[in-house]
Amino acid sequence: MTTAIEYLSPTPLTGVEGSRGIHWIKHEEGDRIWLILDKGDTSTNTLDEPVLRELNDLLDEVEQGDWKSVIFRSAKRGGFAAGADLNQFRGVSTVAEVRAKIDEANAVIDRIAALKQTTVAAVHGACVGGGLELALACDFIVARDDASLGFPEVLVGLHPGLGGTARLTHRINPVEAMKLMLTGRSVRAGKAKKLGIVEAVVPERNMANAIEAALSGKLERSGGGATATAMNLFPARKAIAAQMRGETEKQAPSEHYESPYALISLWEKHGGSMEEMLQAERASFAHLLPTDTTQNLVRVFFLRQRLQQNGKGSSNVRNVHVVGAGTMGAEIGAWCALKGMNVTIQDPSREALGKAVASAHKLFDRKLRDPELLRAKDRFTPDLHGNGVRHADLIIEAAPERPELKEKIYAQIEEKAKPDAVIATNTSSLDLNKLFKGVKRPDRFVGIHFFNPVSKLDLVEVVRHDGSSTEAFETAQRFVGDIGKLPLPVTASPGFLVNRALMPYLGEALVMVDEGVQCERIDKAAEEFGMPMGPIELADQVGLDICLAVAESLARDLDHPMPEIPQWLRDKVERGELGRKTGKGVYDYGSDGKPKKDKLKKPATEEMRKRMILPLLDAVASAIDEGVVEDRDSADAAMIFGTGFAPFLGGPIHYAQSRGFEAVATTMERLEREVGPRYKPSPWWRKAKE
Ligand code: NAD
């Protein structure tokens, strides 16, 4: 007979006795009943309608039975439950439709909260979203030490919808609860205990004891205490809510993102009564789900998964050698070490190597704790003479954008590298087919194009040139997956996808500067559209030298006319005013690395936005038309994860679709007449199906 303790095993269940439904296992043990979630046909538990319906039937039995306690657990290795299944949120169109479903789901969770038995959720791994809401409906939550708990709903334009907003703000200090829900971050078990979300944190071997303690009344129920109660009173709520709105506005402007503000209002208006808040939460959730913003953010969630698929499987890359420890090389090397690779980083400049080590340590300090921190530092080795090349499975060249220099570097690498090592360039603008012409074994060369800043932008373009082998290309994609980034396969065409789309947008902004438009106003126009930073600030961030090189190469290599490169840009590069990295670019930079901006003299206009955004959309369309990128979903994903293109719009092509492809083409034709031939629309708009 299988005992309940065996269900606690972190290994998957095999040959389990007890009564197994499709998604739940029921196990009776004296006066206890275990309800073990083991969602059918998947390795991860999520809560969807079938899972909750089966639970509802089990609760009929529980309510009628004589058991004294109910214990919820998961049979999956990865965790308790990863929240709701987002698939069920796609394409819903009416508030009434959502309301009916959310009411039905809440009725099940409310039944758990109302059970006469003592209820315990024994959680491990991921216990987030709906999973955490189920746990919060129990009397006790006992967490295994690897558990992470949180509410990520805000990241897809929602807030918790199964009672989580009400139960969490009444279980712990409501300000902490709101912070957790507003950021969408998860906390580890130890922090969850400090906050009062869980009553105990123990290793697996002590889970049974902790459950026992909860059931025998030896575990004290957590709660926010007197401070929490005071904060849930209306005057405090009103003042705190105003503060939260101000803070949230900086991260997610209310004109683009509704859900954090809906959450704040929910607590402000109804935080005084759990019952009222439970009801209001449902109405608010049902209102949010069908909105365009939420549907687009759910779309972005699936676009990320789509790119992740490209990097599936291990690359077997362990040792990475980076050539060039400048802006990009230093960040690429540090990121690889952070993610567990052994990194050697080569540069003829001792100063560059010193800076690279310092900034890598800063990144590790920010992201890791001992002992991982020390290990990451050990994995990152400056290498003045390039000795690491011999041991490397992958070599990434991130030297200055000069073909003759890069070619020399490849010759040196080829002499020393292992025969099966993959060799990659991070070039933004050079033609790979020309760059690799002189190498001995072009088959193992590819492009691996990271974006700046590497730690913030998840996209990496993996570039195939005419001579790359499928093996090298696949290894490169998997390597990108191994380091937690999102690989986008592209062909070796000018600017690949992202810079080809970004440059006409940046170029147009620079032309406007030439026309006498205030830089701050240009940036504001793009920010109001939903870009994370304006094009002028972005040009400074990337480096004006890099922008100039990319703009020149695109003007030379693409058939489509590009915005004229202003003389002042060439002059600035000549003078060494290269942007943020030199403390001066278009803007001046303070020691905090932030641009010094003047107040707006005039508001930004819709026409300015059109002039900048339409060329970006058009360049994406022409790249799809030419097969640079596989399809429009990949292109949308790339622009969101490579440039921060307004995620709530669902990507450039998705956005264009909402405006109508014909309307995009006609507006471009108007601008072609009024501004110049560079606005001639791609034929794709009128060929593509909407
Ligand atoms: P950078 O000028 O900041 O750094 C280049 C580094 O290479 C310097 O530290 C320099 O000392 C070193 N170097 C010079 N000669 C070398 C040699 N023979 N061997 C090894 N190292 C040598 O340049 P960056 O901005 O990091 O750009 C590097 C590459 O990455 C370029 O190909 C660029 O197109 C590409 N890139 C840049 C960005 C960006 O935003 N800056 C983004 C994506 C790709």
Side-chain angles (χ1 to χ4, degrees):
M1 158 96 185
T2 310
T3 70
I5 298 307
E6 281 169 66
Y7 293 122
L8 300 177
S9 157
T11 54
L13 298 173
T14 45
V16 168
E17 290 177 32
S19 145
R20 183 184 270 274
I22 299 171
H23 306 299
W24 291 89
I25 302 164
K26 180 183 72 173
H27 178 79
E28 299 171 50
E29 193 186 38
D31 62 359
R32 293 170 191 181
I33 178 162
W34 293 72
L35 299 181
I36 298 157
L37 180 54
D38 190 14
K39 191 173 179 200
D41 289 335
T42 170
S43 57
T44 311
N45 283 335
T46 49
L47 297 187
D48 58 9
E49 267 180 59
V51 167
L52 289 175
R53 288 223 171 107
E54 195 175 313
L55 174 59
N56 203 35
D57 292 343
L58 286 168
L59 290 174
D60 286 343
E61 282 184 54
V62 172
E63 279 174 354
Q64 283 154 26
D66 295 328
W67 298 287
K68 289 214 175 91
S69 41
V70 187
I71 303 144
F72 288 90
R73 187 97 219 240
S74 145
K76 304 286 193 208
R77 192 193 290 269
F80 184 67
D85 180 354
L86 282 183
N87 267 310
Q88 61 185 352
F89 292 168
R90 296 178 93 176
V92 289
S93 54
T94 68
V95 173
E97 187 190 342
V98 185
R99 183 65 205 241
K101 286 188 178 180
I102 202 77
D103 281 350
E104 196 185 331
N106 268 287
V108 182
I109 303 296
D110 288 350
R111 280 181 84 183
I112 298 174
L115 284 175
K116 61 178 189 296
Q117 290 94 342
T118 307
T119 47
V120 179
V123 307
H124 67 276
C127 174
V128 296
L132 179 54
E133 292 180 287
L134 190 155
L136 284 169
C138 295
D139 299 321
F140 294 94
I141 306 179
V142 168
R144 198 166 83 186
D145 50 9
D146 68 339
S148 82
L149 302 95
F151 281 128
E153 285 83 349
V154 76
L155 305 177
V156 289
L158 290 167
H159 55 59
L162 291 178
T165 65
R167 294 203 172 92
L168 192 64
T169 48
H170 284 79
R171 188 181 177 98
I172 68 169
N173 178 336
V175 176
E176 295 294 344
M178 290 294 287
K179 218 190 274 171
L180 208 64
M181 292 189 281
L182 284 169
T183 56
R185 278 194 214 119
S186 289
V187 287
R188 291 179 183 205
K191 177 85 194 278
K193 168 91 171 50
K194 270 192 203 128
L195 290 172
I197 303 173
V198 306
E199 273 80 14
V201 178
V202 288
E204 178 65 38
R205 64 177 182 281
N206 294 340
M207 281 298 265
N209 287 345
I211 294 168
E212 199 59 51
L215 294 180
S216 59
K218 288 190 195 127
L219 209 59
E220 203 171 312
R221 274 201 72 172
S222 61
T227 330
T229 315
M231 281 175 181
N232 268 333
L233 295 176
F234 184 66
R237 291 204 312 271
K238 195 166 177 314
I240 298 167
Q243 226 173 356
M244 282 175 184
R245 283 195 185 93
E247 282 301 308
T248 307
E249 196 66 48
K250 290 183 208 153
Q251 306 295 328
S254 50
E255 66 183 297
H256 299 314
Y257 296 95
E258 192 179 346
S259 72
Y261 303 92
L263 175 59
I264 296 170
S265 297
L266 198 59
W267 177 65
E268 182 186 27
K269 285 193 198 140
H270 308 286
S273 150
M274 171 115 130
E275 200 37 55
E276 247 183 71
M277 195 162 169
L278 282 170
Q279 289 302 323
E281 177 197 277
R282 291 170 202 181
S284 174
F285 185 92
H287 159 77
L288 287 172
L289 187 50
T291 59
D292 284 347
T293 298
T294 305
Q295 289 296 315
N296 286 339
L297 291 173
V298 170
R299 169 183 159 74
V300 173
F301 174 87
F302 286 104
L303 289 179
R304 174 181 283 277
Q305 283 193 342
R306 190 195 162 97
L307 290 186
Q308 274 166 344
Q309 286 298 319
N310 297 333
K312 246 182 126 183
S314 167
S315 65
N316 293 323
V317 170
R318 294 284 166 271
N319 302 320
V320 177
H321 182 79
V322 181
V323 183
T327 310
M328 292 306 289
E331 278 215 63
I332 295 168
W335 186 264
C336 293
L338 180 81
K339 294 293 171 182
M341 305 273 167
N342 300 314
V343 175
T344 43
I345 182 159
Q346 176 187 352
D347 201 295
S349 153
R350 281 180 196 273
E351 194 193 340
L353 287 176
K355 277 193 190 160
V357 171
S359 70
H361 285 196
K362 232 187 201 168
L363 175 77
F364 305 151
D365 282 336
R366 223 176 49 231
K367 301 259 185 194
L368 300 173
R369 290 203 203 112
D370 276 338
E372 289 114 324
L373 175 63
L374 289 175
R375 285 197 207 115
K377 287 182 178 171
D378 275 352
R379 286 196 297 265
F380 188 80
T381 316
D383 179 7
L384 195 60
H385 303 294
N387 297 327
V389 175
R390 289 184 200 289
H391 313 288
D393 307 308
L394 172 72
I395 298 143
I396 304 175
E397 168 274 308
E401 199 72 327
R402 297 206 305 271
E404 62 307 332
L405 172 68
K406 291 190 190 268
E407 283 159 14
K408 233 165 89 191
I409 291 173
Y410 302 148
Q412 288 162 3
I413 293 174
E414 280 202 301
E415 241 176 60
K416 295 199 235 164
K418 293 197 289 189
D420 58 347
V422 173
I423 306 169
T425 176
N426 186 47
T427 182
S428 298
S429 64
L430 299 173
D431 179 345
L432 265 56
N433 288 318
K434 281 190 199 149
L435 199 58
F436 298 147
K437 223 175 186 131
V439 303
K440 288 195 190 125
R441 290 227 355 241
D443 58 310
R444 58 177 175 163
F445 280 78
V446 290
I448 301 187
H449 184 227
F450 286 84
F451 294 90
N452 178 4
V454 175
S455 59
K456 295 227 170 90
L457 292 171
D458 285 343
L459 188 80
V460 178
E461 288 174 319
V462 181
V463 194
R464 185 197 280 274
H465 67 100
D466 292 347
S468 355
S469 69
T470 307
E471 219 180 334
F473 188 67
E474 292 291 323
T475 302
Q477 293 213 72
R478 290 192 181 137
F479 158 75
V480 171
D482 286 348
I483 57 167
K485 297 279 176 194
L486 304 170
L488 175 82
V490 288
T491 59
S493 69
F496 317 127
L497 170 72
V498 172
N499 280 337
R500 175 181 178 153
L502 207 54
M503 275 302 145
Y505 155 79
L506 290 187
E508 208 53 46
L510 299 181
V511 170
M512 283 188 202
V513 176
D514 231 17
E515 291 169 2
V517 184
Q518 189 195 8
C519 297
E520 288 82 352
R521 196 169 161 228
I522 299 170
D523 277 348
K524 190 74 184 165
E527 284 161 15
E528 283 174 356
F529 176 79
M531 298 306 231
M533 111 181 6
I536 307 289
E537 196 180 331
L538 181 64
D540 268 356
Q541 154 99 18
V542 169
L544 297 184
D545 52 338
I546 301 284
C547 286
L548 181 60
V550 179
E552 278 177 335
S553 82
L554 288 181
R556 194 182 52 234
D557 299 337
L558 279 177
D559 289 339
H560 194 82
M562 294 286 288
E564 187 90 22
I565 300 172
Q567 186 54 41
W568 61 260
L569 179 67
R570 296 180 197 283
D571 295 344
K572 272 195 177 287
V573 172
E574 193 67 39
R575 286 200 298 274
E577 294 172 12
L578 305 182
R580 205 169 79 117
K581 61 185 168 187
T582 58
K584 191 174 175 61
V586 183
Y587 294 112
D588 286 344
Y589 289 79
S591 53
D592 59 356
K594 293 202 173 128
K596 294 184 180 153
K597 291 193 174 186
D598 287 338
K599 283 212 169 105
L600 283 197
K601 294 188 181 121
K602 275 196 220 165
T605 64
E606 180 59 28
E607 187 67 1
M608 288 169 68
R609 270 190 283 281
K610 280 189 186 141
R611 265 189 69 182
M612 290 189 287
I613 300 294
L614 287 175
L616 182 156
L617 303 186
D618 194 63
V620 175
S622 69
I624 297 172
D625 202 25
E626 288 169 29
V628 174
V629 61
E630 223 171 339
D631 53 37
R632 41 173 111 165
D633 275 356
S634 303
D636 273 349
M639 294 309 290
I640 293 168
F641 300 117
T643 72
F645 183 94
F648 62 90
L649 296 175
I653 298 298
H654 191 74
Y655 166 69
Q657 205 165 6
S658 72
R659 309 275 307 233
F661 288 173
E662 180 58 34
V664 170
T666 343
T667 314
M668 287 205 65
E669 279 160 352
R670 173 179 66 76
L671 289 167
E672 185 186 359
R673 288 190 300 275
E674 292 171 10
V675 185
R678 59 186 183 275
Y679 281 94
K680 185 176 172 25
S682 159
W684 186 83
W685 298 113
R686 292 193 168 111
K687 279 194 295 193
K689 277 204 194 104
E690 287 198 38

Short mmCIF file of all heavy atoms in Angstrom, two decimals, residues 330-339 355-369 373 376-377 380 453-456 485:
data_model
loop_
_atom_site.label_atom_id
_atom_site.label_comp_id
_atom_site.label_asym_id
_atom_site.label_seq_id
_atom_site.Cartn_x
_atom_site.Cartn_y
_atom_site.Cartn_z
N ALA A 330 32.12 42.54 -22.99
CA ALA A 330 32.13 42.45 -21.53
C ALA A 330 30.78 41.96 -21.02
O ALA A 330 30.71 41.08 -20.16
CB ALA A 330 32.44 43.83 -20.93
N GLU A 331 29.71 42.48 -21.60
CA GLU A 331 28.37 42.08 -21.14
C GLU A 331 28.03 40.66 -21.54
O GLU A 331 27.43 39.92 -20.78
CB GLU A 331 27.33 43.03 -21.74
CG GLU A 331 27.18 44.32 -20.97
CD GLU A 331 25.72 44.77 -21.00
OE1 GLU A 331 24.87 44.05 -20.46
OE2 GLU A 331 25.47 45.82 -21.59
N ILE A 332 28.43 40.30 -22.77
CA ILE A 332 28.14 38.93 -23.24
C ILE A 332 28.86 37.92 -22.36
O ILE A 332 28.29 36.94 -21.89
CB ILE A 332 28.56 38.76 -24.72
CG1 ILE A 332 27.72 39.66 -25.63
CG2 ILE A 332 28.46 37.30 -25.16
CD1 ILE A 332 28.24 39.79 -27.06
N GLY A 333 30.15 38.21 -22.10
CA GLY A 333 30.95 37.30 -21.28
C GLY A 333 30.36 37.17 -19.88
O GLY A 333 30.22 36.06 -19.35
N ALA A 334 30.00 38.31 -19.29
CA ALA A 334 29.47 38.28 -17.93
C ALA A 334 28.17 37.49 -17.88
O ALA A 334 27.94 36.69 -16.98
CB ALA A 334 29.23 39.71 -17.44
N TRP A 335 27.32 37.70 -18.88
CA TRP A 335 26.03 37.00 -18.89
C TRP A 335 26.24 35.48 -18.99
O TRP A 335 25.59 34.70 -18.31
CB TRP A 335 25.15 37.49 -20.05
CG TRP A 335 23.80 36.89 -19.99
CD1 TRP A 335 23.36 35.80 -20.66
CD2 TRP A 335 22.71 37.32 -19.15
NE1 TRP A 335 22.05 35.52 -20.31
CE2 TRP A 335 21.64 36.44 -19.38
CE3 TRP A 335 22.55 38.36 -18.23
CZ2 TRP A 335 20.41 36.57 -18.72
CZ3 TRP A 335 21.32 38.49 -17.59
CH2 TRP A 335 20.29 37.60 -17.84
N CYS A 336 27.19 35.08 -19.87
CA CYS A 336 27.45 33.64 -20.03
C CYS A 336 27.95 33.03 -18.71
O CYS A 336 27.53 31.93 -18.33
CB CYS A 336 28.49 33.38 -21.14
SG CYS A 336 27.90 33.81 -22.77
N ALA A 337 28.83 33.76 -18.01
CA ALA A 337 29.35 33.24 -16.73
C ALA A 337 28.22 33.18 -15.70
O ALA A 337 28.11 32.22 -14.93
CB ALA A 337 30.49 34.12 -16.22
N LEU A 338 27.37 34.20 -15.72
CA LEU A 338 26.22 34.21 -14.80
C LEU A 338 25.37 32.96 -15.00
O LEU A 338 24.84 32.39 -14.06
CB LEU A 338 25.37 35.46 -15.09
CG LEU A 338 24.12 35.64 -14.24
CD1 LEU A 338 24.48 36.25 -12.89
CD2 LEU A 338 23.10 36.54 -14.93
N LYS A 339 25.26 32.53 -16.26
CA LYS A 339 24.41 31.40 -16.58
C LYS A 339 25.16 30.06 -16.55
O LYS A 339 24.69 29.07 -17.10
CB LYS A 339 23.76 31.60 -17.96
CG LYS A 339 22.80 32.76 -17.98
CD LYS A 339 21.59 32.46 -17.11
CE LYS A 339 20.69 33.65 -16.90
NZ LYS A 339 19.56 33.36 -16.03
N LYS A 355 37.91 46.78 -16.62
CA LYS A 355 36.52 47.28 -16.56
C LYS A 355 35.53 46.13 -16.73
O LYS A 355 34.48 46.10 -16.09
CB LYS A 355 36.27 48.29 -17.69
CG LYS A 355 36.74 49.68 -17.37
CD LYS A 355 36.14 50.60 -18.42
CE LYS A 355 36.73 51.99 -18.34
NZ LYS A 355 36.55 52.74 -19.56
N ALA A 356 35.88 45.19 -17.63
CA ALA A 356 34.97 44.06 -17.88
C ALA A 356 34.80 43.23 -16.61
O ALA A 356 33.69 42.82 -16.26
CB ALA A 356 35.51 43.18 -19.02
N VAL A 357 35.91 42.99 -15.90
CA VAL A 357 35.83 42.20 -14.66
C VAL A 357 34.97 42.95 -13.64
O VAL A 357 34.07 42.37 -13.01
CB VAL A 357 37.24 41.91 -14.08
CG1 VAL A 357 37.15 41.29 -12.70
CG2 VAL A 357 38.02 41.00 -15.03
N ALA A 358 35.21 44.27 -13.50
CA ALA A 358 34.45 45.04 -12.52
C ALA A 358 32.96 45.00 -12.84
O ALA A 358 32.13 44.79 -11.95
CB ALA A 358 34.95 46.48 -12.49
N SER A 359 32.61 45.17 -14.13
CA SER A 359 31.17 45.22 -14.42
C SER A 359 30.55 43.83 -14.32
O SER A 359 29.38 43.69 -13.95
CB SER A 359 30.89 45.89 -15.77
OG SER A 359 31.31 45.06 -16.81
N ALA A 360 31.34 42.78 -14.63
CA ALA A 360 30.80 41.42 -14.47
C ALA A 360 30.51 41.17 -12.99
O ALA A 360 29.44 40.66 -12.64
CB ALA A 360 31.80 40.39 -14.99
N HIS A 361 31.44 41.57 -12.11
CA HIS A 361 31.23 41.33 -10.68
C HIS A 361 29.99 42.08 -10.18
O HIS A 361 29.24 41.59 -9.34
CB HIS A 361 32.47 41.74 -9.88
CG HIS A 361 33.58 40.74 -10.03
ND1 HIS A 361 34.66 40.67 -9.21
CD2 HIS A 361 33.75 39.73 -10.93
CE1 HIS A 361 35.46 39.67 -9.60
NE2 HIS A 361 34.92 39.11 -10.65
N LYS A 362 29.79 43.27 -10.76
CA LYS A 362 28.60 44.04 -10.38
C LYS A 362 27.33 43.27 -10.75
O LYS A 362 26.38 43.19 -9.96
CB LYS A 362 28.61 45.37 -11.16
CG LYS A 362 28.45 46.58 -10.28
CD LYS A 362 28.31 47.76 -11.20
CE LYS A 362 28.65 49.05 -10.54
NZ LYS A 362 28.77 50.14 -11.49
N LEU A 363 27.33 42.70 -11.96
CA LEU A 363 26.17 41.92 -12.40
C LEU A 363 25.95 40.71 -11.48
O LEU A 363 24.83 40.44 -11.04
CB LEU A 363 26.37 41.44 -13.85
CG LEU A 363 25.29 40.53 -14.40
CD1 LEU A 363 24.05 41.33 -14.79
CD2 LEU A 363 25.77 39.75 -15.64
N PHE A 364 27.05 40.00 -11.16
CA PHE A 364 26.90 38.81 -10.29
C PHE A 364 26.38 39.22 -8.91
O PHE A 364 25.53 38.56 -8.33
CB PHE A 364 28.23 38.07 -10.12
CG PHE A 364 28.90 37.67 -11.42
CD1 PHE A 364 30.29 37.55 -11.51
CD2 PHE A 364 28.14 37.38 -12.55
CE1 PHE A 364 30.90 37.19 -12.69
CE2 PHE A 364 28.74 37.02 -13.75
CZ PHE A 364 30.13 36.93 -13.82
N ASP A 365 26.93 40.34 -8.40
CA ASP A 365 26.49 40.81 -7.07
C ASP A 365 24.99 41.09 -7.06
O ASP A 365 24.30 40.83 -6.09
CB ASP A 365 27.22 42.11 -6.68
CG ASP A 365 28.64 41.82 -6.21
OD1 ASP A 365 28.88 40.69 -5.76
OD2 ASP A 365 29.50 42.72 -6.31
N ARG A 366 24.53 41.64 -8.20
CA ARG A 366 23.12 42.01 -8.27
C ARG A 366 22.23 40.76 -8.37
O ARG A 366 21.16 40.71 -7.80
CB ARG A 366 22.92 42.85 -9.53
CG ARG A 366 22.02 44.04 -9.30
CD ARG A 366 21.88 44.96 -10.48
NE ARG A 366 21.57 44.38 -11.74
CZ ARG A 366 22.25 44.62 -12.86
NH1 ARG A 366 23.30 45.44 -12.84
NH2 ARG A 366 21.91 44.08 -14.00
N LYS A 367 22.71 39.76 -9.07
CA LYS A 367 21.83 38.63 -9.40
C LYS A 367 22.02 37.39 -8.53
O LYS A 367 21.16 36.53 -8.51
CB LYS A 367 22.05 38.19 -10.86
CG LYS A 367 21.79 39.28 -11.87
CD LYS A 367 20.44 39.10 -12.50
CE LYS A 367 20.22 40.12 -13.59
NZ LYS A 367 18.85 40.21 -14.00
N LEU A 368 23.20 37.26 -7.90
CA LEU A 368 23.49 35.99 -7.23
C LEU A 368 23.82 36.19 -5.76
O LEU A 368 24.23 37.28 -5.34
CB LEU A 368 24.68 35.29 -7.90
CG LEU A 368 24.55 34.93 -9.37
CD1 LEU A 368 25.87 34.40 -9.90
CD2 LEU A 368 23.46 33.88 -9.58
N ARG A 369 23.67 35.11 -5.01
CA ARG A 369 24.12 35.11 -3.61
C ARG A 369 25.14 34.01 -3.45
O ARG A 369 25.19 33.08 -4.26
CB ARG A 369 22.93 34.81 -2.69
CG ARG A 369 21.97 35.94 -2.66
CD ARG A 369 21.14 35.91 -1.40
NE ARG A 369 19.93 36.65 -1.68
CZ ARG A 369 18.72 36.11 -1.74
NH1 ARG A 369 18.57 34.83 -1.49
NH2 ARG A 369 17.68 36.83 -2.03
N LEU A 373 27.60 33.15 -6.18
CA LEU A 373 28.30 34.39 -6.51
C LEU A 373 29.80 34.13 -6.70
O LEU A 373 30.40 34.53 -7.70
CB LEU A 373 28.06 35.40 -5.38
CG LEU A 373 28.80 36.72 -5.46
CD1 LEU A 373 28.38 37.49 -6.69
CD2 LEU A 373 28.52 37.56 -4.22
N ALA A 376 30.51 32.12 -9.84
CA ALA A 376 30.40 32.90 -11.08
C ALA A 376 31.66 33.74 -11.26
O ALA A 376 32.19 33.84 -12.38
CB ALA A 376 29.16 33.78 -11.03
N LYS A 377 32.16 34.33 -10.18
CA LYS A 377 33.39 35.14 -10.29
C LYS A 377 34.55 34.28 -10.77
O LYS A 377 35.36 34.71 -11.59
CB LYS A 377 33.71 35.80 -8.95
CG LYS A 377 32.75 36.94 -8.62
CD LYS A 377 33.07 37.62 -7.32
CE LYS A 377 32.10 38.79 -7.11
NZ LYS A 377 32.19 39.39 -5.79
N PHE A 380 34.75 33.63 -14.61
CA PHE A 380 34.96 34.74 -15.55
C PHE A 380 36.43 35.16 -15.50
O PHE A 380 36.89 35.76 -14.53
CB PHE A 380 34.05 35.90 -15.13
CG PHE A 380 34.03 37.03 -16.13
CD1 PHE A 380 33.25 36.97 -17.27
CD2 PHE A 380 34.79 38.18 -15.91
CE1 PHE A 380 33.23 38.02 -18.18
CE2 PHE A 380 34.78 39.23 -16.81
CZ PHE A 380 33.99 39.15 -17.96
N PRO A 453 21.26 46.83 -23.78
CA PRO A 453 22.09 46.07 -22.84
C PRO A 453 21.70 44.58 -22.80
O PRO A 453 20.52 44.25 -22.76
CB PRO A 453 21.77 46.73 -21.49
CG PRO A 453 20.45 47.40 -21.65
CD PRO A 453 20.23 47.66 -23.10
N VAL A 454 22.75 43.75 -22.80
CA VAL A 454 22.56 42.30 -22.87
C VAL A 454 21.72 41.78 -21.71
O VAL A 454 20.87 40.90 -21.87
CB VAL A 454 23.94 41.59 -22.88
CG1 VAL A 454 23.79 40.08 -22.83
CG2 VAL A 454 24.75 42.00 -24.10
N SER A 455 21.92 42.36 -20.52
CA SER A 455 21.21 41.82 -19.35
C SER A 455 19.72 42.16 -19.40
O SER A 455 18.93 41.54 -18.70
CB SER A 455 21.83 42.34 -18.07
OG SER A 455 21.77 43.75 -18.07
N LYS A 456 19.34 43.12 -20.23
CA LYS A 456 17.92 43.52 -20.24
C LYS A 456 17.16 43.01 -21.47
O LYS A 456 15.97 42.77 -21.40
CB LYS A 456 17.81 45.05 -20.21
CG LYS A 456 18.33 45.66 -18.94
CD LYS A 456 17.35 46.69 -18.39
CE LYS A 456 17.74 47.14 -17.01
NZ LYS A 456 18.65 48.31 -17.05
N LYS A 485 18.35 33.07 -23.13
CA LYS A 485 17.93 34.12 -24.06
C LYS A 485 17.03 33.51 -25.13
O LYS A 485 16.85 32.29 -25.19
CB LYS A 485 19.18 34.76 -24.71
CG LYS A 485 20.08 35.47 -23.70
CD LYS A 485 19.56 36.83 -23.39
CE LYS A 485 20.34 37.55 -22.33
NZ LYS A 485 19.65 38.71 -21.81
#
